[in-house]
Amino acid sequence: FGDRQAPLAAWYSTSSAAGMQGMGVQVFDALRALDYLLTRNEVDPGRIGVAGLCQGSEQTWLAGALEGRFRMVVPVCGTTTYTDWARMPGYLGVVLSSADPYLKNVLRYTDWPEIGACIAPRPLYIVSNSGDNWWPEAGYNKVVATLQKAYELYGQPERFSHLRDLRSHSMTPYLPEVAPWIDLHLKALPGDTATAPQPCGEPPADADLNPLHYMQRQIVRKAEALPAGFTQQKDWNQYRQSVTQWLRRACVLDEMHLGEAKSQGRSNIGG
């Protein structure tokens, strides 16, 4: 993906410093790809789906939940809950290689089962390799159970399918089941070929499409906007107060009720 590529650590740290969501930028790319497809004469707007593998699966979940023009969604090798994901290092000893898929404060509002349910009743097929240890099975089962209920609410349980099997971390081994399912549901969708292609805004000729460059420019602008210095103590005190208040919110200190500090007695016997 050319200029959209970035080392994972650089991507996460730069987007965080710029006040952006790393995964959000990637989902934006998926939505812009959809906008582009809708400009083409040979594309049927009523039969566009989205699929992705691994971290691309997270993009698929989020893009599918956000955008109803994706008429079919197929996340591959990337299904669990944020809750089980966050517990994984402490309870299972497994650590993700990248923090990109996390969304800031997500567990204050929702989790993957409910995000996935936003796709209903559009056709959805989850595929998961049971040999991957990055997606705890307990979370996968919660997602499946919630989605089964959601599709039953719409009276269309046949539009949801899932497959968890020991194959490999790839789309290809699952094509024997997924490809016929996609064909079946695409044919069942109402065609929309009469719809005229939609215009898609073009970036300026001199646009820099490298996301790292963009976010780094954001950081520079923010840094240049900071006060260069303070000539009066009251100005410094006012600024310092605003900084410490922000730090307190950013570090969620007011929510950490740790209670009274206590010491536990310990004894060593026999050296």
Side-chain angles (χ1 to χ4, degrees):
F1 42 106
D3 287 338
R4 305 301 280 170
Q5 185 167 283
L8 292 179
W11 179 269
Y12 183 73
S13 59
T14 307
S15 61
S16 297
M20 304 173 70
Q21 298 267 24
M23 177 54 68
V25 177
Q26 296 176 67
V27 172
F28 170 82
D29 279 353
L31 300 183
R32 288 299 286 159
L34 172 63
D35 290 338
Y36 169 70
L37 285 175
L38 293 174
T39 69
R40 300 185 63 91
N41 289 312
E42 75 271 28
V43 171
D44 182 344
R47 291 191 171 100
I48 299 177
V50 60
L53 171 74
C54 196
Q55 188 170 138
S57 177
E58 311 310 318
Q59 298 172 41
T60 298
W61 278 115
L62 296 170
L66 282 168
E67 181 53 79
R69 291 179 297 174
F70 286 124
R71 303 298 300 277
M72 173 179 297
V73 182
V74 184
V76 181
C77 296
T79 298
T80 188
T81 66
Y82 275 111
T83 304
D84 288 277
W85 223 358
R87 289 163 57 93
M88 201 167 56
Y91 288 83
L92 302 178
V94 178
V95 181
L96 286 179
S97 59
S98 167
D100 284 349
Y102 286 97
L103 295 176
K104 181 180 178 182
N105 289 332
V106 62
L107 291 178
R108 293 188 178 192
Y109 304 101
T110 189
D111 205 339
W112 279 118
E114 290 71 35
I115 292 172
C118 292
I119 297 169
R122 287 170 284 152
L124 169 64
Y125 198 139
I126 303 174
V127 175
S128 187
N129 174 34
S130 61
D132 293 340
N133 63 351
W134 315 296
W135 324 104
E137 184 177 5
Y140 176 89
N141 292 336
K142 293 173 190 172
V143 172
V144 168
T146 299
L147 288 170
Q148 287 173 334
K149 293 177 182 177
Y151 279 81
E152 287 171 1
L153 284 176
Y154 285 97
Q156 295 178 311
E158 74 283 354
R159 286 190 164 199
F160 171 61
S161 295
H162 70 99
L163 171 63
R164 181 180 172 88
D165 198 5
L166 180 59
R167 300 188 188 180
S168 69
H169 189 72
S170 172
M171 286 189 177
T172 307
Y174 297 97
L175 288 179
E177 291 89 355
V178 173
W181 184 90
I182 290 176
D183 287 341
L184 173 67
H185 286 85
L186 280 180
K187 290 175 182 176
L189 290 173
D192 201 11
T193 51
T195 302
Q198 302 177 17
C200 185
E202 294 293 333
D206 59 348
D208 181 359
L209 301 182
N210 185 308
L212 276 183
H213 291 174
Y214 172 79
M215 291 185 286
Q216 286 164 351
R217 289 197 301 273
Q218 291 281 90
I219 293 169
V220 169
R221 282 196 290 267
K222 292 175 187 293
E224 290 176 345
L226 295 175
F230 300 92
T231 58
Q232 299 184 44
Q233 187 180 37
K234 68 178 183 62
D235 294 333
W236 162 245
N237 286 336
Q238 183 178 3
Y239 179 73
R240 179 178 64 181
Q241 184 178 12
S242 70
V243 170
T244 54
Q245 286 177 343
W246 175 82
L247 282 172
R248 190 168 194 88
R249 290 193 303 271
C251 297
V252 206
L253 296 182
D254 292 332
E255 297 184 18
M256 294 185 184
H257 306 296
L258 300 181
E260 181 184 352
K262 297 181 180 179
S263 124
Q264 282 187 311
R266 299 194 178 275
S267 61
N268 292 324
I269 300 175

